[in-house]
Every structure is written in C-alpha cells, then in structure tokens.
Amino acid sequence: MKIQHLVITRFNVTISREGNIVPSLDWLQQRMTIFEQYCLPSMMVQTCTNFTWLILMDESTPIEVRDCMTHYQQQVPMMRVLYVSQINDLTTFYHQLALEYTEEGNYVLTTRIDNDDVVCRTYIADIQYAAAQQEQIPVILTFPHGCQLFLNDSVGLGLHWLSNHFVSFFIIVILPSKNYIFIITKHD
C-alpha cells in the first residue's frame, strides 16, 4: 500500500465562512515568532520525513514573511508554501490538494497542524503506522493525549481531549473526482 501523507497548515489564509478579514501585520508577526519557536522546529525533527507539508498562506502575505518562508523551505525539503486567495469551499479545496499531490489509486493521509502547534518527534511516524494498520478506508485517526501551553501565564496543562484538532484522515484517491470521500471537521 502506497501512502502519500499531506500535512496541512492554514497559516493566514481566509476561509469565506470566517469572513473576509485578512489578519493584521501585527498578528502575522506574532504568529511567525510562535511558528519559528515551536511549530517549525517540531516538524524539522520528525523521525519520518516521508510527507509533504503544505503551508497555506494568503496571496497578500507581505514580502518579508514570504522571504522567511522561502528560507524555511530550503531548510525543510518536505515543506511547500502555497499562496492562495480566499478559500470559498474548504472541502473542495482540500480535495483539489489531495488530487494534485497524490497519484490515482494511492492512499492519501491528511493531517492538520496549526501554525502554533508542537508535535512529538515521532508524530508523523505514529500517524503513518496507525494508518497502515487500518483494514477499512476511510478512517479518522486521532491522538487524544496532549499538552497545552499558555505562553502569557507560563502554564502548561496535560490534556485528554477526544475531539481535539489533531485529526488525520485516511482515504484512497479515486478519479474522476466525483468518486471521492473527504471529511472536514470544525476547529475553532
């Protein structure tokens, strides 16, 4: 079974249901700092590098941020930054990504990681191992144990959260596109 794993990070792209508000430059700079300190290092040390990390950024992202992302792509070969306009239908958009980055008949595994998330160095390997053990497709994989760090308060909490956003979807890509299965969850 050939599995193509897409890790998707919606960095600052707008989704039509969330309004047409493009995050401010201050917000973007704060997120870049958090991304650089936490998310990026945790993805760079993954024990399994057999995945494509798609970072979705708004097409109006300032050049300074684009330059930083270009630099990171040179350091992280599995990273691809995509500059997109507003996404009107998230399900359709994710399906198009799966079709673009996966060959017909292959299994596709999608994992969502936010730009402020930190994951264990074996996270990608653990997800791929769990997916390879599945006998029925599609399936939703989740890791219910984690930690949450509150930077302003210097407090960390261990959590057991069954419906968290650390969810991966495992499907097979079938063409034509009308024969696909894709699942999206709400994450606030």
Side-chain angles (χ1 to χ4, degrees):
M1 158 181 359
K2 182 166 181 186
I3 298 173
Q4 290 179 269
H5 193 174
L6 303 177
V7 176
I8 302 170
T9 299
R10 289 179 6 213
F11 202 100
N12 68 329
V13 68
T14 57
I15 310 299
S16 63
R17 66 176 166 77
E18 297 171 356
N20 295 329
I21 300 169
V22 175
S24 70
L25 183 57
D26 286 343
W27 179 91
L28 187 55
Q29 289 171 337
Q30 290 173 352
R31 292 313 265 197
M32 284 298 292
T33 299
I34 293 170
F35 177 75
E36 292 164 349
Q37 290 178 348
Y38 299 101
C39 185
L40 181 63
S42 78
M43 293 300 288
M44 289 175 71
V45 298
Q46 289 299 303
T47 59
C48 172
T49 58
N50 184 24
F51 66 96
T52 302
W53 187 14
L54 301 174
I55 307 226
L56 308 179
M57 300 195 83
D58 191 271
E59 63 187 1
S60 66
T61 299
I63 192 70
E64 315 82 71
V65 175
R66 288 176 180 246
D67 289 346
C68 286
M69 298 308 278
T70 299
H71 174 73
Y72 298 145
Q73 284 184 98
Q74 294 167 352
Q75 295 178 343
V76 185
M78 54 283 217
M79 178 191 284
R80 305 282 179 276
V81 180
L82 305 177
Y83 296 96
V84 299
S85 60
Q86 174 180 305
I87 299 173
N88 294 317
D89 181 348
L90 197 56
T91 303
T92 301
F93 182 79
Y94 279 4
H95 176 249
Q96 291 169 344
L97 284 179
L99 290 177
E100 184 175 337
Y101 285 91
T102 308
E103 297 172 16
E104 182 178 1
N106 285 347
Y107 293 90
V108 62
L109 178 59
T110 61
T111 301
R112 180 169 166 200
I113 293 182
D114 290 339
N115 61 20
D116 63 351
D117 290 343
V118 177
V119 294
C120 171
R121 65 185 184 84
T122 62
Y123 184 66
I124 299 297
D126 293 343
I127 292 170
Q128 291 182 12
Y129 176 79
Q133 306 306 308
Q134 302 305 309
E135 295 181 11
Q136 292 191 324
I137 309 293
V139 68
I140 298 173
L141 306 170
T142 186
F143 291 80
H145 299 282
C147 297
Q148 186 168 8
L149 177 63
F150 297 91
L151 295 175
N152 292 339
D153 301 320
S154 299
V155 173
L157 298 175
L159 300 171
H160 179 78
W161 186 15
L162 290 176
S163 62
N164 67 60
H165 67 281
F166 289 97
V167 176
S168 295
F169 305 109
F170 188 38
I171 62 173
I172 187 167
V173 174
I174 303 170
L175 297 176
S177 61
K178 65 182 178 183
N179 294 327
Y180 73 91
I181 299 171
F182 211 88
I183 306 164
I184 301 295
T185 61
K186 183 176 186 276
H187 169 54
D188 296 322

